Amino acid sequence: MSITVHKSPSPRHSSIDLSTVGFGNVFTDHMFRRQWKEGHWREGSIVPHENIPISPGCLGLHYGQAVFEGLKAYRGTQDNIIRLFRPDRNAARLAASCERLCIPTISADDLLEAISTLVAVEKEWVPHSRSETLYLRPLVFGSEGHLSVRPATSYEFLIIAAPVSEYFDRRGPGISLKAEDYFTRAAPGGMGAAKTGGNYASTLRPTGDGLANGYDQILWLDSEQHQFIEEAGQMNIFFRIGDKVITPPLAGTILPGVTRDSILRLLGEWGIESEERRISIAELRDAKKKNHLVEVFGAGTAAVVVPIKNIEFKRESIVVPDPTPEALCNRLYNELTGIQYGEISDQYGWTLAV
Ligand code: COI
């Protein structure tokens, strides 16, 4: 793929305080854009971040034929090198999401080239502080204006970038979850494993209700019995019970998280037993009763690793002990961010220098 670069005549990066940007409020000066027309992907370009014209009949808007990814660029605290973390995993997941929604796939090589070029153009936007990163958001959607329900014949592939702080504040004891006993995020055979907007749209109403009642996120349960735990908001979830760490399996209803996969690998390297299996609210309740519930944490690109302090199910509260400085969630957070910011040697080959 050849990528042409059209620089913005009025870059803003020097006028923005990157330490106060929050999550997703500010976009960088440029974006990557590539279109699919007449059966193939055209050449790519880096252009100023700006609105793009969309047909009011855009199939992606009407029928949700749209997929996205999320990954971050980190500036090394000691060597100033900008690194991506396991972008090959995002490429594989994007391809799987495209496949599920009948969207023409993007090769891993093309995605990595597009991301690397954008990050190189936007290098001034990669924060210097360890608590901020440059979040990268690839997005592909059916752009054809048409009204029957079928795959589009034209697509937009964009990558936008935003300097961000972590999604949750890690300074407190953790976040509280409401286990949802009516709404579901995904059902077997559905789209739960694809990173597509519809999966997030369906969470807005229950999450809004949860926030109004003082919870930080929803804990999604299985769609049939509302007993087995799936995901926490936009994160995968881990339970440390006794000496083991348990996380729900990738059975098609949850997102195959890059952080989730990295955590399982680190636990294996550290000799900590982990199980990918179904875990129910009843098992959690029982573990709590027997004092075996040691910690619970969520994991995702935006959230990194965040402790969970409380899970409420049908007005019953399962309180999780406060994480100690030695807690796994802290050890994992330190190891992952240490690798990402180039402070710990990357023995797994996870980082890609831009
Ligand atoms: C991510 O962790 O990158 C996500 O996609 C979460 C996002 C929806 C805020």
Side-chain angles (χ1 to χ4, degrees), residues 135-199:
Y135 187 78
L136 300 156
R137 172 53 66 83
L139 166 74
V140 195
F141 64 92
S143 55
E144 183 193 0
H146 180 81
L147 288 183
S148 48
V149 180
R150 61 152 174 76
T153 57
S154 57
Y155 293 86
E156 288 278 353
F157 165 28
L158 305 170
I159 307 175
I160 56 173
V164 296
S165 308
E166 279 168 16
Y167 205 71
F168 297 106
D169 189 348
R170 291 189 89 257
R171 283 169 302 189
I175 62 169
S176 66
L177 302 179
K178 177 187 179 246
E180 176 57 54
D181 58 31
Y182 175 71
F183 292 107
T184 46
R185 178 188 170 276
M191 299 195 302
K195 206 158 173 65
T196 180
N199 287 338

Side-chain angles (χ1 to χ4, degrees), residues 258-274:
V258 179
T259 312
R260 175 188 182 281
D261 186 77
S262 310
I263 286 176
L264 288 172
R265 173 78 192 274
L266 287 176
L267 293 176
E269 296 287 332
W270 294 344
I272 297 169
E273 197 180 336
S274 64

Side-chain angles (χ1 to χ4, degrees), residues 23 68 70 135 137 167 195 200 234 301-302:
F23 189 93
F68 70 94
Y135 187 78
R137 172 53 66 83
Y167 205 71
K195 206 158 173 65
Y200 296 80
Q234 298 93 11
T301 299

